[in-house]
C-alpha cells in the first residue's frame, strides 16, 4: 500500500527529488552558513600549503620577482644540509623534553587539584594564570630573571655553581635548551592539566569507595582505577603537545633566536632564518612542507586514536 | 612456601608494623599540600617578580637586588613608558587586531555553528572532519607561504591580514563549540517564533543568539587569547614597525639594543597581563563551560 | 475558518533504511470552532500531520487548505496559526510578559496595545501576578498557562496543540483541561489537538480522529468512537480499561444469531440475516470490561481470579481464562478468591463483533 502511494506520487514528491540532488533550499542555506569558514580555510590554510609545495620547487630570492624552476633540488639541498639534520635532532630534543616535562607536571597538578580538600579554587586560579600570561610576557620576565646583572634566577644559578657569574644562562651552550624547555613548560603544562582534570572529575566516587572497602591502598586505587580512566586522554594530550612542540616557533625565537651558535635552532627556527635572513624562500618552503608532513602524520594518528567525528550527528 | 611471601604484604596492607595508618595519612597530606605549595610558588614567583619590579624605580631595578619592595623606591614612573615612544603604538595595534579577531571569530562561528546545528546537508560529516584539521594548523608552517601571498595581494603589513590569519586558526574550536552549544537549545523555541510570524533571521537574533551567550563569551575569550598571545603570525605578516603588534614590536626593540630598562618592560608586561586575567576571572563560568565542551 | 486536509501523504527519506511513510493519504476536515483531537500510539503520524498543518513540515503529496486558501507550501510565518509545544518552548531569556507579547511585537502592534492584550489574557489565565517573572521560576503548570497566553493574545485562525500536557502530572492535567477549553472557546477557531492519551481526547474533544500507522482509522464524536468503533484497533485504543477480545464462532439457531466462545454461548440481539456471510465462521468478540459480569462458572466463561486493583469507586479484577487474561470492572467491594471458580458473563447487548482478519466491526 505504502510503497504504491510513493510511486504514484513521485512527481509530487517535492522534497526528496530536490533533496536527492542535494540542492534543496535547506542544503543551500546550510552550505551558505559554513561558507565563510571554508573560505577562511581555503585562504589561510589550503592555499598557503599548496603555495608552499609549489614554491618549494623554485629558487626564490625573496626580494627578486624572478623565480627559477629547480625541481626537487630544494629538497635535495635541505636533506644534505647539516643544519637541517641538527635542527631535526634539536627539534626532537625540544619536543620530547617539553612533552615529558609538561605531561609529568601537568598530570601531577591535575592529580593534586583533584585531591585537595582546601585551596582547590585558589590553586586552579593560580594554574590558569600561568596559561593566561601571554607568551611574550613569559619571555620578557624570563629574560629579566636570567639577566646577568640583576636576574634573580641568574644569581640563584651562579650561587649554586650551575653557571658562571658572567654567563648569560640562555646564551650558554649547555643551558639554553633545557631552560627554553622549562620556560615553555611553565606556561604550557596546564594544558595537560585541563585535559586530564575533566576526565578525573568524571570518575564516580563510588569506584573509590568500593576500592576502599576492599582495602586498596592509595597507590593501588591510582593504578587500578584512576590511571586506566585517563590513559586515553593522556595519549591525546601527548600527541597534541608533541605536534605543537615540534612546530613551536614563538617562545624559542623570542628567548634565544635559535642561539647560541644554533644550540636551540629547531626546524621552525631554521626555516624562518632561511627565508628571512638567508633570503632563500624556496628552501624555506621546502622545510615548511616537511613540517606540514609531520603535522599531517600527527593529524592522522589523532584521527585514528580517537575519532572526533563519531559524535557528529547529521 | 607461601607463608613467608605473604607476611610482608599483609603487614603492608594492614599498616600494622611499618607505618601506622595515621602516619601514612599525614605523610600523604604533607606530599599533597607540599606539592600544591610548590606549584603555587613556582607559578606565582615570576608574576610577583614582575609586579614588584614594575613598581620599582627603574634605576634601582638594574642596580640593586631586593626580595621585597622598599617604600623609598616604589614608584609609578615606569608606567610612563605607555605615554611615549613606540610601545603605546604596539599596544594599540594589539588591541585593534584582538578586537578584530574577536568580532570575526564570533560572527563567523555563530553563523556556521547555527547552520551545522539546524540545517541538514550532505557532507556535513566531511566538513566537520575538515574543520578539525584546523587544530593542526601551525602559524610557522602557514606563515612562511602566507608572507609572499599576502605581499602579492597587499595584505602584508595590513592588520586585517593578521586578523584573517588569526581568525582561521581559532575556527575549529569556535565553530565546534557553537555547533554543540546550539544543539542543546530546543528547536521548538525557534519553531514557536516562526509560527508567531518571525522570519528565520529575526528568530536567529531574538531567540537563538541571546541563549547562545555562554558560547559566544567562550569563543570571544578564546579568540582573545589567540590574538593577544600571537607572536609568530605578527612577526611574519607585519614586518613594519608601524603596523606590528606588541610581541614582535618589543622583541625587535630589545634586539636592537635600544631597550634595556627592565623597570619599563616589567611595567608594560604587567599591563599586558592584566586584561587576560581580568577576563578570565570575571567570565570563568563561561570559560569552564567552553573547556568542558572541548575536552569532551 | 475551516481546515481541509486532502489526501495528505508525508514520506521521510532515511539514508540507511527504506523510506518511512509517516502519514498515508489522510483526509480530514476541522470545522470552524471545532475541537478535533488526533489520537493514536506514538509513531502513528499524528505529530507529523500537525507539523504539516503548522507549516513546520511540508507534505510529500496532497493539500492543506484553510477555507479556500491553499497553504500546503506556505512557510509557518504566513499561516497565522498558534502551536502549543510539548516542551512548552518559552524563551528563557524573556520575562513572562515579553514571552506573551513576542508575537504581537513581530506583527508590529504598538506597545500600549500589546500591554492591554497581555493583561487581558493574563487575567483570563490567572497569571496576572507572574508577568514580570522569568519562565524558569514558574512551575510546569504555570509555564503551560503562559504558553497558552502567548497563543491567546495573537488570536490565531487555527490553534494547534502538540501533546502539551504529556509532561504534567495527572492532577495538573485535570486542572488545565478546562483552561484549555475555555481559551479555545474564547478564540473560536478550529483546534487540532494531538495526544496519545485517550482520556484527554475523550474529555475535551468535539470530535476524535484516531490514527494508526499513518492511516486514519475513524473520526467521530467521543460517544461515537466509543460505542461504534469502526475496527478492533479503535475499540481497543478508546476506553479505559481497554476492550477485551475473545475468539468466537457465529452460530445460527432459528434465525437468531449467537456466538460460541469455547463452551460458552452468548446469543446476540441480531438476526442471522444481519450477520450474512459470518454464520459458522470465526469472529472476534469485543466487550468492554464494564460490560462483563461475574457469575457462576456454568453461567459464563470459566475464569480463575488472579488479582484485584481496587481504585476506590470501583475495582479492576483480572481473571485468567482460556482466552488469556481478562480485566473486568467490578464493584468496589469485590474481593476475588483464588480458590473459587468464576464465570465471566458478557452483556449480550454490549458485545461487538469484529472480522478476525481485517479487524473491521461487523455488528
Amino acid at each position: 500500500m505504502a510503497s504504491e502511494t510513493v510511486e504514484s506520487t513521485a512527481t509530487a514528491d517535492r522534497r526528496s527529488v530536490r533533496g536527492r540532488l542535494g540542492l534543496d533550499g535547506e542544503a543551500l542555506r546550510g552550505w551558505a552558513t559554513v561558507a565563510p569558514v571554508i573560505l577562511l580555510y581555503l585562504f589561510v590554510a589550503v592555499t598557503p600549503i599548496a603555495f608552499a609545495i609549489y614554491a618549494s620547487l623554485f629558487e626564490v630570492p625573496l626580494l627578486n620577482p624572478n623565480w627559477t624552476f629547480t625541481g626537487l633540488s630544494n629538497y635535495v639541498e635541505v636533506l644534505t644540509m647539516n643544519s637541517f639534520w641538527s635542527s631535526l635532532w634539536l627539534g626532537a630534543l625540544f619536543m620530547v623534553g617539553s612533552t615529558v616535562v609538561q605531561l609529568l607536571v601537568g598530570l601531577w597538578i591535575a592529580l593534586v587539584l583533584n585531591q585537595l580538600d582546601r585551596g582547590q579554587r585558589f590553586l586552579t586560579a593560580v594554574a590558569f594564570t600561568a596559561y593566561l600570561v601571554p607568551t611574550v610576557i613569559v619571555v620578557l620576565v624570563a629574560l629579566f630573571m636570567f639577566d646577568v646583572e640583576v636576574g634573580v634566577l641568574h644569581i640563584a644559578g651562579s650561587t649554586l655553581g650551575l653557571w658562571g657569574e658572567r654567563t648569560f644562562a640562555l646564551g650558554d651552550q649547555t643551558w639554553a635548551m633545557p631552560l627554553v624547555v622549562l620556560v615553555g613548560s611553565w606556561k604550557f603544562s596546564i594544558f595537560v592539566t585541563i585535559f586530564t582534570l575533566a576526565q578525573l572529575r568524571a570518575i564516580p566516587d563510588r569506584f573509590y569507595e568500593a576500592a576502599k572497602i576492599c582495602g586498596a591502598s592509595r597507590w593501588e586505587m591510582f593504578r587500578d582505577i584512576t590511571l586506566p580512566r585517563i590513559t586515553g586522554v593522556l595519549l591525546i594530550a601527548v600527541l597534541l603537545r608533541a605536534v605543537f612542540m615540534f612546530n613551536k616557533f614563538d617562545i624559542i625565537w623570542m628567548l634565544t633566536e635559535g642561539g647560541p651558535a644554533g644550540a636551540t635552532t629547531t626546524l621552525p627556527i631554521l626555516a624562518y632564518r632561511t627565508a628571512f635572513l638567508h633570503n632563500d624562500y624556496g628552501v624555506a618552503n621546502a622545510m615548511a612542507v616537511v613540517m606540514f608532513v609531520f603535522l599531517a602524520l600527527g593529524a592522522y594518528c589523532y584521527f585514528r586514536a580517537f575519532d572526533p567525528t563519531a559524535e557528529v550527528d547529521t | 612456601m607461601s607463608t613467608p611471601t605473604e607476611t610482608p604484604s599483609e603487614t603492608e596492607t594492614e599498616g600494622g608494623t611499618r607505618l601506622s595508618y595515621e602516619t601514612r595519612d599525614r605523610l600523604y597530606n604533607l606530599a599533597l599540600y607540599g606539592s600544591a605549595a610548590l606549584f603555587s610558588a613556582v607559578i606565582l614567583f615570576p608574576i610577583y617578580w614582575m609586579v614588584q619590579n614594575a613598581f620599582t624605580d627603574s634605576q634601582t631595578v638594574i642596580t640593586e637586588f631586593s626580595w621585597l619592595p622598599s617604600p623609598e623606591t616604589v614608584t609609578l614612573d615606569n608606567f610612563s613608558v605607555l605615554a611615549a615612544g613606540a610601545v603605546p603604538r604596539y599596544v594599540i595595534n594589539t588591541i585593534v587586531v584582538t578586537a578584530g579577531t574577536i568580532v570575526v571569530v564570533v560572527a563567523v562561528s555563530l553563523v556556521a555553528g547555527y547552520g551545522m546545528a539546524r540545517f541538514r546537508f550532505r557532507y556535513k560529516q566531511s566538513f566537520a572532519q575538515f574543520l578539525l584539521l584546523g587544530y593542526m594548523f601551525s602559524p610557522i608552517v602557514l606563515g612562511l607561504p602566507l608572507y609572499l601571498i599576502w605581499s602579492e595581494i597587499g595584505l602584508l603589513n595590513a592588520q586585517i591580514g593578521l586578523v584573517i590569519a588569526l581568525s582561521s586558526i581559532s575556527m575549529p574550536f569556535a565553530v565546534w563549540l557553537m555547533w554543540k552549544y546550539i544543539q542543546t537549545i530546543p528547536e521548538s523555541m525557534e519553531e514557536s517564533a516562526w509560527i508567531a510570524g518571525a522570519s528565520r533571521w529575526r528568530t536567529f537574533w531574538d531567540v537563538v543568539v541571546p541563549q547562545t551567550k555562554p558560547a559566544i563569551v567562550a569563543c570571544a575569550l578564546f579568540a582573545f587569547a589567540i590574538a593577544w598571545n600571537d607572536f609568530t603570525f605578527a612577526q611574519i605578516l607585519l614586518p613594519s614597525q608601524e603596523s606590528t603588534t606588541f610581541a614582535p614590536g618589543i622583541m625587535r626593540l630589545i634586539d636592537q639594543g635600544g631597550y634595556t630598562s627592565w623597570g619599563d618592560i616589567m611595567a608594560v608586561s604587567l599591563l599586558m597581563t592584566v586584561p587576560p586575567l581580568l577576563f578570565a576571572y570575571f567570565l570563568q563560568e563561561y570559560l569552564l563551560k567552553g573547556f568542558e565542551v572541548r575536552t569532551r | 475558518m475551516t481546515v481541509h486536509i486532502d489526501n495528505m501523504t508525508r514520506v521521510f527519506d532515511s539514508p540507511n533504511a527504506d523510506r518511512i511513510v509517516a502519514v498515508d493519504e489522510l483526509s480530514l476536515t476541522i470545522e470552524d470552532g471545532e475541537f478535533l483531537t488526533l489520537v493514536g500510539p506514538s509513531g502513528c503520524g499524528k505529530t507529523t500531520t500537525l507539523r504539516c498543518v503548522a507549516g513546520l513540515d511540508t507534505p510529500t503529496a496532497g493539500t492543506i487548505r484553510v477555507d479556500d486558501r491553499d497553504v500546503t507550501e506556505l512557510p509557518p510565518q504566513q499561516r497565522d496559526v498558534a502551536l502549543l509545544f510539548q516542551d512548552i518552548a518559552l524563551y528563557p531569556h524573556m520575562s513572562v510578559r515579553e514571552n506573551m507579547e513576542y508575537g504581537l511585537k513581530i506583527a508590529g502592534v504598538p506597545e500600549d496595545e500589546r500591554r492591554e492584550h497581555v493583561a487581558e489574557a493574563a487575567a483570563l489565565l490567572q497569571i496576572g501576578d507572574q508577568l514580570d517573572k522569568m519562565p524558569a521560576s514558574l512551575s510546569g503548570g504555570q509555564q503551560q498557562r503562559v504558553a497558552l497566553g502567548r497563543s491567546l493574545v495573537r488570536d490565531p485562525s487555527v490553534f494547534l496543540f502538540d501533546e502539551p500536557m504529556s509532561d504534567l502530572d495527572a492532577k495538573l492535567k485535570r486542572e488545565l483541561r478546562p483552561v484549555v477549553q475555555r481559551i479555545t472557546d474564547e478564540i473560536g477557531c478550529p483546534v487540532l489537538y494531538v495526544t496519545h492519551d485517550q482520556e484527554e481526547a475523550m474529555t475535551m474533544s468535539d470530535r476524535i480522529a484516531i490514527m494508526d500507522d499513518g492511516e486514519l482509522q475513524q473520526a467521530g464524536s467521543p460517544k461515537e468512537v466509543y460505542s461504534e468503533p469502526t475496527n478492533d484497533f479503535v475499540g481497543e485504543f478508546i476506553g479505559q480499561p481497554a476492550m477485551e477480545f475473545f475468539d468466537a464462532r457465529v452460530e445460527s439457531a432459528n434465525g437468531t444469531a449467537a456466538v460460541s466462545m469455547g463452551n460458552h454461548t452468548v446469543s446476540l440481539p441480531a438476526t442471522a440475516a444481519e450477520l450474512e456471510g459470518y454464520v459458522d465462521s470465526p469472529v472476534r468478540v469485543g466487550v468492554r470490561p464494564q460490560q462483563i459480569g461475574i457469575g457462576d462458572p456454568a453461567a459464563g466463561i470459566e475464569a480463575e481470579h488472579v488479582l484485584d486493583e481496587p481504585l476506590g469507586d470501583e475495582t479492576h479484577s483480572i481473571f485468567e481464562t482460556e482466552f488469556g487474561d481478562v480485566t473486568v470492572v467490578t464493584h468496589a467491594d469485590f474481593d476475588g478468591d483464588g480458590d473459587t471458580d468464576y464465570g465471566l458473563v458478557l452483556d449480550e447487548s454490549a458485545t461487538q463483533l469484529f472480522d478476525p482478519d481485517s479487524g473491521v466491526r461487523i455488528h
Side-chain angles (χ1 to χ4, degrees):
Chain A
M1 245 323 255
S3 60
E4 259 177 41
T5 317
V6 176
E7 293 305 323
S8 63
T9 57
T11 43
D13 193 344
R14 290 170 282 253
R15 263 179 169 244
S16 54
V17 173
R18 271 177 282 160
R20 248 177 277 129
L21 294 169
L23 280 175
D24 60 6
E26 192 174 339
L28 276 180
R29 281 188 284 179
W31 280 110
T33 59
V34 297
V37 181
I38 296 176
L39 275 178
L40 277 175
Y41 268 41
L42 282 179
F43 204 36
V44 178
V46 179
T47 317
I49 287 162
F51 180 79
I53 295 171
Y54 178 73
S56 69
L57 304 175
F58 291 83
E59 196 190 313
V60 189
L62 249 192
L63 303 171
N64 183 338
N66 294 320
W67 292 21
T68 322
F69 183 78
T70 53
L72 291 174
S73 76
N74 280 336
Y75 290 93
V76 174
E77 195 183 329
V78 167
L79 293 178
T80 53
M81 267 164 107
N82 280 335
S83 55
F84 172 76
W85 293 107
S86 79
S87 76
L88 217 53
W89 164 245
L90 289 170
L93 217 58
F94 176 75
M95 175 182 89
V96 173
S98 301
T99 307
V100 168
V101 172
Q102 289 171 23
L103 178 71
L104 293 179
V105 175
L107 178 60
W108 190 7
I109 297 183
L111 291 172
V112 167
L113 265 179
N114 198 40
Q115 290 288 311
L116 281 186
D117 298 322
R118 271 169 299 150
Q120 197 182 42
R121 277 181 69 94
F122 174 74
L123 189 61
T124 311
V126 167
F128 264 96
T129 304
Y131 194 59
L132 289 164
V133 175
T135 311
V136 62
I137 308 303
V138 175
V139 167
L140 291 173
V141 174
L143 288 175
F144 174 47
M145 292 174 89
F146 283 107
D147 186 84
V148 192
E149 306 288 340
V150 284
V152 56
L153 291 180
H154 168 80
I155 295 169
S158 61
T159 311
L160 288 173
L162 297 178
W163 47 72
E165 236 169 87
R166 300 303 308 162
T167 314
F168 179 45
L170 284 165
D172 181 80
Q173 279 284 345
T174 333
W175 284 104
M177 181 59 92
L179 288 180
V180 169
V181 167
L182 288 178
V183 171
S185 301
W186 184 87
K187 180 174 162 75
F188 294 115
S189 293
I190 193 71
F191 180 92
V192 177
T193 308
I194 293 165
F195 244 70
T196 324
L197 206 53
Q199 202 72 23
L200 279 177
R201 295 212 164 127
I203 303 176
D205 280 343
R206 60 191 152 82
F207 285 17
Y208 293 108
E209 282 155 11
K212 261 183 217 161
I213 289 165
C214 301
S217 68
R218 284 203 176 85
W219 163 247
E220 283 164 336
M221 284 194 270
F222 173 74
R223 189 192 58 198
D224 298 334
I225 303 171
T226 316
L227 203 55
R229 281 277 181 140
I230 56 172
T231 319
V233 88
L234 284 179
L235 275 177
I236 296 164
V238 165
L239 184 69
L240 287 177
R241 285 332 285 161
V243 170
F244 290 160
M245 285 299 134
F246 186 78
N247 284 284
K248 201 77 200 152
F249 171 75
D250 51 7
I251 200 160
I252 308 177
W253 181 264
M254 287 191 276
L255 279 170
T256 65
E257 297 195 353
T264 52
T265 300
T266 60
L267 193 51
I269 304 281
L270 183 67
Y272 183 84
R273 282 188 168 276
T274 309
F276 297 104
L277 301 175
H278 303 154
N279 229 344
D280 210 343
Y281 196 68
V283 173
N285 274 296
M287 289 172 184
V289 171
V290 171
M291 284 188 273
F292 175 70
V293 168
F294 187 86
L295 276 180
L297 277 176
Y300 178 77
C301 294
Y302 180 68
F303 276 91
R304 286 297 299 270
F306 139 99
D307 182 16
T309 48
E311 52 178 304
V312 178
D313 9 272
T314 41
Chain B
M1 265 308 276
S2 63
T3 331
T5 49
E6 259 171 27
T7 321
S9 77
E10 246 168 45
T11 45
E12 223 176 84
T13 40
E14 280 164 17
T17 48
R18 290 215 337 249
L19 288 170
S20 74
Y21 186 77
E22 286 79 23
T23 319
R24 279 200 292 165
D25 225 35
R26 228 171 283 143
L27 276 177
Y28 171 79
N29 275 325
L30 193 70
L32 188 66
Y33 285 92
S35 303
L38 178 69
F39 290 133
S40 306
V42 168
I43 294 170
L44 289 179
F45 180 70
I47 295 169
Y48 163 72
W49 205 241
M50 170 177 78
V51 176
Q52 192 220 313
N53 285 286
F55 289 104
T56 303
D57 175 70
S58 62
Q59 209 46 43
T60 318
V61 169
I62 51 171
T63 50
E64 283 166 48
F65 178 91
S66 144
W67 290 107
L68 293 167
S70 58
E72 312 89 74
T73 58
V74 168
T75 173
L76 289 174
D77 287 353
N78 294 335
F79 291 90
S80 64
V81 66
L82 274 181
V87 172
R89 193 171 58 226
Y90 299 149
V91 173
I92 289 169
N93 288 346
T94 303
I95 292 171
V96 168
V97 167
T98 304
T101 308
I102 290 174
V103 170
V104 173
V105 167
V106 168
V108 172
S109 67
L110 189 57
V111 172
Y114 178 78
M116 305 257 316
R118 290 295 189 252
F119 295 114
R120 303 166 129 263
F121 52 95
R122 285 173 107 195
Y123 307 115
K124 197 196 295 193
Q125 193 132 354
S126 318
F127 175 75
Q129 229 149 3
F130 175 65
L131 192 67
L132 281 176
L133 277 182
Y135 275 127
M136 297 291 157
F137 294 166
S138 132
I140 186 73
V141 171
L142 301 180
L144 284 173
L146 268 180
Y147 174 80
L148 215 57
I149 300 175
W150 258 210
S151 86
E152 280 301 314
I153 59 177
L155 282 177
L156 201 65
N157 281 323
Q159 280 155 6
I160 184 73
L162 182 58
V163 167
I164 291 171
L166 292 172
S167 300
S168 301
I169 60 169
S170 313
M171 277 305 143
F173 172 84
V175 176
W176 199 272
L177 177 63
M178 289 288 189
W179 173 25
K180 290 292 154 194
Y181 198 87
I182 292 174
Q183 273 184 345
T184 66
I185 302 172
E187 257 182 290
S188 55
M189 284 182 197
E190 281 161 75
E191 292 176 344
S192 159
W194 301 341
I195 283 171
S199 66
R200 186 140 206 163
W201 182 243
R202 174 134 196 205
T203 304
F204 177 70
W205 274 114
D206 286 357
V207 177
V208 179
V209 173
Q211 292 187 64
T212 316
K213 217 171 97 194
I216 292 175
V217 172
C219 282
L221 268 172
F222 184 76
F224 170 86
I226 293 267
W228 202 253
N229 236 315
D230 171 67
F231 168 78
T232 311
F233 269 142
Q235 167 81 355
I236 297 175
L237 302 177
L238 300 178
S240 92
Q241 290 295 94
E242 285 72 43
S243 60
T244 208
T245 56
F246 177 74
I250 192 130
M251 293 315 294
R252 286 176 211 166
L253 279 186
I254 294 174
D255 240 24
Q256 289 154 10
Y259 219 80
T260 44
S261 167
W262 286 119
D264 288 2
I265 293 176
M266 288 306 107
V268 74
S269 293
L270 176 60
L271 286 177
M272 293 296 285
T273 307
V274 167
L277 293 185
L278 276 185
F279 286 142
Y281 179 77
F282 284 112
L283 304 169
Q284 51 183 319
E285 248 173 82
Y286 297 120
L287 195 71
L288 285 175
K289 228 173 210 168
F291 275 118
E292 250 165 48
V293 174
R294 187 184 181 189
T295 49
R296 220 156 39 100
Chain C
M1 299 277 171
T2 310
V3 179
H4 305 273
I5 302 170
D6 285 320
N7 278 316
M8 190 185 93
T9 298
R10 177 67 173 103
V11 182
F12 288 104
D13 282 322
S14 76
N16 317 318
D18 294 334
R19 315 167 104 205
I20 299 153
V21 183
V23 181
D24 194 2
E25 303 211 318
L26 175 76
S27 293
L28 201 58
T29 301
I30 312 165
E31 302 292 343
D32 199 12
E34 183 181 39
F35 194 118
L36 182 113
T37 302
L38 207 49
V39 67
S42 59
C44 72
K46 56 190 193 300
T47 293
T48 307
T49 307
L50 175 123
R51 290 177 64 84
C52 286
V53 175
L56 296 172
D57 201 344
T58 314
T60 316
T63 57
I64 300 168
R65 282 179 297 127
V66 175
D67 287 344
D68 293 327
R69 180 164 161 247
D70 185 342
V71 299
T72 318
E73 299 261 357
L74 275 188
Q77 287 90 346
Q78 296 170 25
R79 296 208 182 188
D80 192 24
V81 299
L83 169 52
L84 220 68
F85 290 86
Q86 180 176 356
D87 59 2
I88 306 177
L90 294 178
Y91 313 126
H93 57 288
M94 296 185 194
S95 70
V96 168
R97 179 192 305 284
E98 286 165 333
N99 262 287
M100 284 174 69
E101 65 178 15
Y102 183 68
L104 298 177
K105 205 169 141 191
I106 296 289
V109 177
E111 190 173 346
D112 43 340
E113 211 174 308
R114 294 204 301 254
R115 290 200 148 242
E116 218 172 281
H117 281 293
V118 168
E120 261 172 51
L124 195 63
L125 288 158
Q126 293 161 332
I127 48 169
D129 50 342
Q130 317 280 339
L131 284 178
D132 295 315
K133 292 188 180 169
M134 296 308 270
S137 64
L138 302 184
S139 67
Q142 282 173 321
Q143 290 187 11
Q144 203 54 279
R145 280 169 194 259
V146 175
L148 268 170
R150 189 162 70 171
S151 305
L152 177 64
V153 292
R154 284 185 41 229
D155 194 16
S157 54
V158 181
F159 206 152
L160 309 170
F161 292 82
D162 184 11
E163 310 206 22
M165 298 194 200
S166 59
D167 294 339
L168 301 180
D169 63 50
K171 186 170 165 285
L172 261 178
K173 275 186 194 176
R174 230 163 286 134
E175 217 176 280
L176 264 174
R177 268 185 224 145
V179 179
V180 168
Q181 278 173 306
R182 205 164 63 232
I183 299 302
T184 51
D185 280 351
E186 180 86 9
I187 302 174
C189 65
V191 176
L192 179 60
Y193 189 103
V194 163
T195 180
H196 62 263
D197 180 349
Q198 61 90 28
E199 188 186 327
E200 230 169 275
M202 293 295 280
T203 49
M204 297 170 76
S205 323
D206 297 326
R207 213 146 58 91
I208 298 178
I210 299 108
M211 282 183 82
D212 183 36
D213 202 16
E215 291 179 47
L216 179 66
Q217 305 294 319
Q218 185 176 6
S221 70
K223 286 215 171 76
E224 208 175 307
V225 295
Y226 182 79
S227 52
E228 293 163 35
T230 47
N231 58 28
D232 56 350
F233 176 82
V234 175
E236 194 172 359
F237 195 83
I238 299 290
Q240 193 65 31
M243 185 181 264
E244 294 293 353
F245 292 94
F246 305 91
D247 292 324
R249 207 174 175 81
V250 177
E251 280 166 4
S252 151
N254 311 325
T256 54
V259 279
S260 68
M261 295 163 278
N263 303 328
H264 184 62
T265 304
V266 177
S267 55
L268 297 172
T271 59
E274 283 176 279
L275 291 173
E276 182 66 52
Y278 284 97
V279 176
D280 292 331
S281 303
V283 288
R284 289 185 84 195
V285 173
V287 189
R288 299 210 176 266
Q290 289 85 348
Q291 257 96 42
I292 304 176
I294 308 290
D296 285 341
I301 300 163
E302 264 181 59
E304 214 171 285
H305 181 258
V306 180
L307 69 93
D308 287 322
E309 294 172 345
L311 298 178
D313 53 345
E314 60 182 34
T315 301
H316 293 175
S317 307
I318 295 157
F319 292 89
E320 196 182 312
T321 70
E322 58 177 305
F323 303 100
D325 284 355
V326 174
T327 302
V328 178
V329 175
T330 51
H331 190 266
D333 297 335
F334 182 80
D335 188 10
D337 174 3
D339 298 329
T340 317
D341 283 340
Y342 292 98
L344 303 184
V345 186
L346 312 188
D347 180 345
E348 39 196 71
S349 64
T351 54
Q352 302 184 330
L353 303 191
F354 298 92
D355 185 287
D357 301 319
S358 68
V360 170
R361 191 164 68 101
I362 308 156
H363 180 74

